[in-house]
Amino acid sequence: MTQSRNEPASGERGSPSRRAVLATMGALPVLTAAASAAGASDAAAATAAATAVIDTSVTRQTIRGFGGMSHAAWIGDLTAAQRDTAFGTGDGQLGFSLLRIPVPEDRANWSRDLATAKRAAELGVAVIASPWNPPASMVETFVHGSQTNARRLRYGMYGAYAQHLNDFTTYLRNNGVNLYGISVQNEPDYAQDWTWWTPAEIVRFLRENAGSISTRVIAPESFQYLKNMSDPILNDPVALANVDIIGAHLYGTPFANFPYPLFKQKGAGKELWMTEVYYPNSSDSADLWPQALDVGEHLHRAMVEAEFQAYIWWYIRRSYGPMREDGKISKRGAAMAHFARFVRPGYVRVQATATPATNVYVSAYRGGGATVVVAVNKATSAVSQQFTLVNTSASTVSSWLTDASRNVASQGMTGVSNGSFTTTLPARSVTTFVAR
């Protein structure tokens, strides 16, 4: 992304080989176990839903995390307190476990995002980086449609560009940040303001040069998850061998295009990440309710239908972002925190009844000795929802709620009876349940 598109108007050489490095990395909800008089009354006033069955023995993708972008050059750096709000997991914090930063083309600016990256790394957050442009000396101009000054990487500089990415990786490593991965190019197919790459050029770079990069390689980061950008990678065994993460952005991507059958067919051993989005827009306040519930649905579909392993927002701190300019989490941020705080890196998504009622979206995850269920109710009325936990011995459930007046507010604990519990999901709400 570029600032104008997002905003309303107003190292050492000779680093270790990539494969060598990778080898070392490696209304209040009513919860009832048995129907009580009060619980029965509340349930009677709510729309009935089909039972949501959570089967922890049927596993899907491994989750790498949820996070956002820090770009000090465009909007200023996060403060020390804001870093802790972004990456902490307590009340009033977002729980982000991923950070994305830019790769400046000028190495004199490589330290610009270092403070935030270092603090994130100290808190166990995985950091990735994306370039918007190669160094100017590596670029040539060409005609791209009506654009007469379009930019692209000169073919003779592919090797030097790989070394540039390697040098940035080494610089961060030497300063306490081990990048989880580095991208070949941010949005190579929406590049009026930066550097264009064709699918064939990306494949050629991956085949001939990416193998020398000393961390995981991310490509292609299409702005709209256009499969014509990533299909050629998946269909080329040599290129595929030298990429580790198929990255995508979801700007304007219809839900119907979220599934990726070719990745399921050919992407074994690779990861699938959503590395940038804001949703549903960048013009409204992130505290607009119930619009912020759209973020909860978007996250649900990204996990369940697209089966992404990561979900990364654009600017962490922005009027339309998960953190307001005053450093407090927004309503959109609260929707993200329902996933980020409780579904931690290494958790595995498990089978769940995805839509037990109209406008109700359920996903479930297993990790850390717990089963985590996130339920988004976009309906204008409450929903009486039973959950049945299969292949788990959980005996208690804790829950957290976001609605018009509360943000990830603890709702206490209840028991599980015969593997089931029932809750009233308030109208227009998000609830996270943690069963142990």
Side-chain angles (χ1 to χ4, degrees):
M1 298 300 290
T2 184
Q3 190 174 21
S4 61
R5 177 173 160 192
N6 278 285
E7 301 297 316
S10 59
E12 294 179 4
R13 296 193 180 267
S15 58
S17 77
R18 170 170 171 260
R19 296 303 168 191
V21 172
L22 294 182
T24 63
M25 293 182 172
L28 294 180
V30 179
L31 280 76
T32 57
S36 64
S41 175
D42 287 341
T47 301
T51 298
V53 178
I54 314 299
D55 189 345
T56 61
S57 70
V58 182
T59 58
R60 305 301 183 188
Q61 76 270 30
T62 298
I63 304 302
R64 296 303 177 201
F66 306 84
M69 177 94 188
S70 182
H71 201 311
W74 287 353
I75 61 165
D77 202 0
L78 300 177
T79 67
Q82 289 166 357
R83 293 169 193 142
D84 287 351
T85 297
F87 307 119
T89 58
D91 290 342
Q93 297 177 318
L94 287 165
F96 283 177
S97 51
L98 297 174
L99 170 66
R100 182 173 179 245
I101 60 173
V103 181
E105 57 196 83
D106 184 348
R107 63 178 61 218
N109 296 322
W110 281 0
S111 64
R112 200 157 46 196
D113 297 282
L114 182 59
T116 290
K118 288 185 69 171
R119 180 56 179 156
E122 290 170 359
L123 293 173
V125 169
V127 182
I128 66 169
S130 296
W132 269 245
N133 292 299
S137 62
M138 301 181 189
V139 173
E140 64 184 6
T141 59
F142 72 110
V143 177
H144 185 277
S146 61
Q147 186 180 3
T148 59
N149 62 340
R151 284 172 287 183
R152 67 185 173 201
L153 179 66
R154 288 187 284 129
Y155 175 63
M157 300 302 294
Y158 276 31
Y161 182 58
Q163 188 61 56
H164 169 74
L165 299 180
N166 233 354
D167 288 348
F168 183 74
T169 301
T170 300
Y171 170 82
L172 287 182
R173 185 182 301 127
N174 290 343
N175 284 277
V177 179
N178 290 314
L179 279 184
Y180 188 90
I182 196 165
S183 174
V184 174
Q185 172 66 47
N186 171 76
E187 296 183 347
D189 53 343
Y190 189 93
Q192 288 85 351
D193 295 321
W194 48 86
T195 301
W196 293 96
W197 291 67
T198 66
E201 287 167 345
I202 291 176
V203 165
R204 187 169 192 172
F205 179 83
L206 292 174
R207 288 178 60 94
E208 298 179 1
N209 304 99
S212 66
I213 296 175
S214 63
T215 189
R216 296 173 184 86
V217 172
I218 305 168
E221 289 202 289
S222 166
F223 83 104
Q224 203 171 57
Y225 200 15
L226 299 180
K227 308 305 192 295
N228 69 307
M229 295 297 295
S230 47
D231 281 358
I233 299 171
L234 292 167
N235 285 323
D236 188 300
V238 178
L240 185 59
N242 283 331
V243 72
D244 302 278
I245 299 169
I246 298 296
H249 300 178
L250 291 180
Y251 291 105
T253 309
F255 293 142
N257 291 351
F258 275 28
Y260 198 1
L262 186 64
F263 179 83
K264 294 179 74 70
Q265 177 188 348
K266 296 190 174 183
K270 308 300 175 180
E271 299 188 8
L272 185 64
W273 287 36
M274 198 292 294
T275 56
E276 186 190 306
V277 78
Y278 56 71
Y279 189 84
N281 57 47
S282 63
S283 55
D284 292 335
S285 165
D287 282 320
L288 192 61
W289 191 267
Q291 189 200 72
L293 277 174
D294 290 349
V295 176
E297 180 189 357
H298 200 252
L299 272 156
H300 166 88
R301 291 180 182 270
M303 296 295 106
V304 174
E305 297 172 16
E307 297 191 80
F308 284 119
Q309 297 172 258
Y311 186 103
I312 300 176
W313 193 269
W314 181 227
Y315 295 134
I316 294 174
R317 184 198 64 226
R318 213 62 179 155
S319 63
Y320 55 85
M323 184 189 296
R324 303 187 319 221
E325 293 291 351
D326 65 1
K328 305 297 184 182
I329 71 169
S330 67
K331 285 295 186 183
R332 291 183 181 182
M336 288 193 70
H338 273 277
F339 292 83
R341 273 181 54 185
F342 304 99
V343 182
R344 303 302 297 168
Y347 282 33
V348 176
R349 188 174 71 85
V350 297
Q351 180 66 37
T353 305
T355 51
T358 302
N359 288 319
V360 174
Y361 303 93
V362 173
S363 61
Y365 311 84
R366 181 70 184 168
T371 300
V372 179
V373 180
V374 185
V376 180
N377 180 16
K378 293 186 69 178
T380 56
S381 60
V383 172
S384 178
Q385 183 63 62
Q386 180 177 349
F387 295 92
T388 296
L389 307 176
V390 179
N391 294 308
T392 178
S393 58
S395 59
T396 61
V397 179
S398 302
S399 66
W400 289 261
L401 169 72
T402 293
D403 60 8
S405 61
R406 288 165 287 195
N407 281 358
V408 203
S410 175
Q411 302 301 295
M413 181 183 296
T414 191
V416 176
S417 178
N418 297 320
S420 295
F421 66 95
T422 299
T423 179
T424 297
L425 303 174
R428 292 173 167 169
S429 67
V430 188
T431 311
T432 297
F433 305 95
V434 179
R436 296 185 183 276

